[in-house]
Amino acid sequence: MTPPSPAGTRRTRRRPHPLPRRRHSRAPWWLLSPAGLVMLTVTAAPIVFLIYTSFTDYNQRSLFTGAYRLVGTAQYAALLTDPQFWHALERSVLFTAAMVVGSIAVGTAVAQLLTRLATPMRTTVTLVLILAWAMPTVASSLVWKWLFQPGYGVVNWLLTRTHLFGDMTNTDWANDPFLAYLSIWLLIVWQAVPFIALTLYAALTQLPLELQEAARLDGAGEWRLWWSITLPFLRPTLLLVSLMSVIWDFNVFNQIWLVSAGGPDSATTTLGIFAYKTAFVGFRVGQGAALSVITTAILVAITALYIRNLLRSGEDL
């Protein structure tokens, strides 16, 4: 017990010592500033310049004289009334859908195969997939074009040896619209499968085995097991890789330009090829910039739709 205080004296309470104020250090900002400057230089500044150029009549004359005029939305109006733009947009949408469906289907099958392989074989297949994915698109596109060359192409020789389609030795794939699309489709799917397969395989390794065992005890077959358990579990990952595939495939340029250059007769001219021809072949740089802005707006809308659905699914959970 504390002794009673003497009469006439007051008990004073000690005030707690105030905590020292935190000083906001500027060191993190200084450390992040180099990366921020790089991002502004290589990302933000070109986008701003691209949008600005889309409102001008920048053309071949401007490249030499530097003179150009602001024309407002005239470039966009000209594009929206140009039948070639709508044909290129239609090709881009259909070709992107075909590439995404093919890539996801083959990638899912390869991912499922990896779960059933023994460790040595799975390691070998994984290394092969990584090497295929790491190959530069320009190098792989040139090699792919050589494989389908008329006269000495390996693919033409193999198809001729099988006698399934007759003599295809001198078949020029790039000069036939269907064959050009088929060769480019095979190339892009081959390049996209490794990333999709490895991503889906990583998701499959997190699938609880208890769910599969319970379904098998209930008499579910392999197909029913995959449809009712595996596919719902993979849905978020499938949506993610599908969105990334749409963005990548919608912007495909190297493969189409190096294999067919948008031909024959503009049959493989997608929005990317059309923008390149407009800006750097026809030297209508302003209109090419407007094309790029429209393409970016389409991809932003697709991404926004995906994020909205993702947030909704999170709220439902």
Side-chain angles (χ1 to χ4, degrees):
M1 293 180 63
T2 56
S5 58
T9 62
R10 287 186 179 179
R11 252 175 145 180
T12 59
R13 294 182 179 178
R14 284 187 179 181
R15 294 181 179 178
H17 188 70
L19 294 174
R21 291 184 178 180
R22 286 186 178 181
R23 293 183 178 180
H24 295 285
S25 175
R26 296 182 179 179
W29 296 103
W30 287 110
L31 293 174
L32 292 174
S33 58
L37 290 175
V38 171
M39 291 295 292
L40 287 174
T41 303
V42 303
T43 304
I47 291 176
V48 172
F49 181 73
L50 177 72
I51 296 174
Y52 173 76
T53 306
S54 68
F55 294 101
T56 68
D57 64 347
Y58 206 96
N59 52 23
Q60 189 174 10
R61 173 180 54 85
S62 305
L63 295 174
F64 296 97
T65 64
Y68 59 88
R69 293 181 299 109
L70 289 172
V71 294
T73 59
Q75 303 287 13
Y76 295 93
L79 281 175
L80 295 178
T81 57
D82 187 358
Q84 292 184 0
F85 165 75
W86 294 107
H87 291 324
L89 178 60
E90 181 183 6
R91 294 188 202 101
S92 298
V93 172
L94 294 177
F95 199 31
T96 298
M99 290 185 291
V100 171
V101 171
S103 302
I104 297 297
V106 178
T108 304
V110 174
Q112 195 71 34
L113 176 65
L114 286 173
T115 61
R116 299 173 180 268
L117 294 177
T119 302
M121 191 63 185
R122 183 169 59 245
T123 304
T124 303
V125 174
T126 302
L127 289 176
V128 171
L129 290 174
I130 292 174
L131 290 175
W133 183 59
M135 184 176 294
T137 58
V138 173
S140 58
S141 300
L142 288 176
V143 173
W144 200 265
K145 185 177 182 179
W146 296 338
L147 291 175
F148 290 85
Q149 280 291 325
Y152 59 86
V154 175
V155 174
N156 291 356
W157 178 79
L158 287 174
L159 290 175
T160 302
R161 297 286 292 180
T162 60
H163 303 289
L164 294 176
F165 306 100
D167 188 4
M168 295 192 65
T169 306
N170 296 317
T171 301
D172 191 353
W173 291 64
N175 280 333
D176 183 271
F178 175 75
L179 294 180
Y181 267 119
L182 180 60
S183 62
I184 296 170
W185 181 84
L186 291 171
L187 170 61
I188 295 173
V189 168
W190 172 74
Q191 292 174 335
V193 161
F195 172 78
I196 296 173
L198 293 177
T199 303
L200 293 178
Y201 170 68
L204 284 172
T205 58
Q206 305 302 314
L207 179 64
L209 297 178
E210 298 82 6
L211 297 177
Q212 296 179 334
E213 293 174 357
R216 287 192 178 95
L217 290 175
D218 291 337
E222 292 299 321
W223 172 253
R224 188 65 182 176
L225 185 69
W226 189 88
W227 183 262
S228 300
I229 295 179
T230 306
L231 184 60
F233 184 82
L234 288 178
R235 185 174 290 117
T237 309
L238 280 171
L239 288 175
L240 177 61
V241 296
S242 298
L243 173 66
M244 297 179 70
S245 297
V246 167
I247 294 174
W248 291 336
D249 295 341
F250 201 81
N251 287 321
V252 163
F253 175 80
N254 290 339
Q255 295 90 329
I256 299 177
W257 183 255
L258 292 174
V259 172
S260 67
D265 297 328
S266 300
T268 57
T269 298
T270 57
L271 278 180
I273 302 296
F274 186 44
Y276 178 81
K277 288 183 175 181
T278 301
F280 300 110
V281 178
F283 290 104
R284 297 183 305 241
V285 181
Q287 197 170 65
L291 262 170
S292 300
V293 172
I294 292 174
T295 304
T296 304
I298 293 173
L299 294 177
V300 168
I302 295 173
T303 306
L305 181 64
Y306 165 75
I307 294 175
R308 181 183 178 186
N309 292 334
L310 186 65
L311 293 175
R312 282 186 175 181
S313 63
E315 291 174 358
D316 294 339
L317 293 175

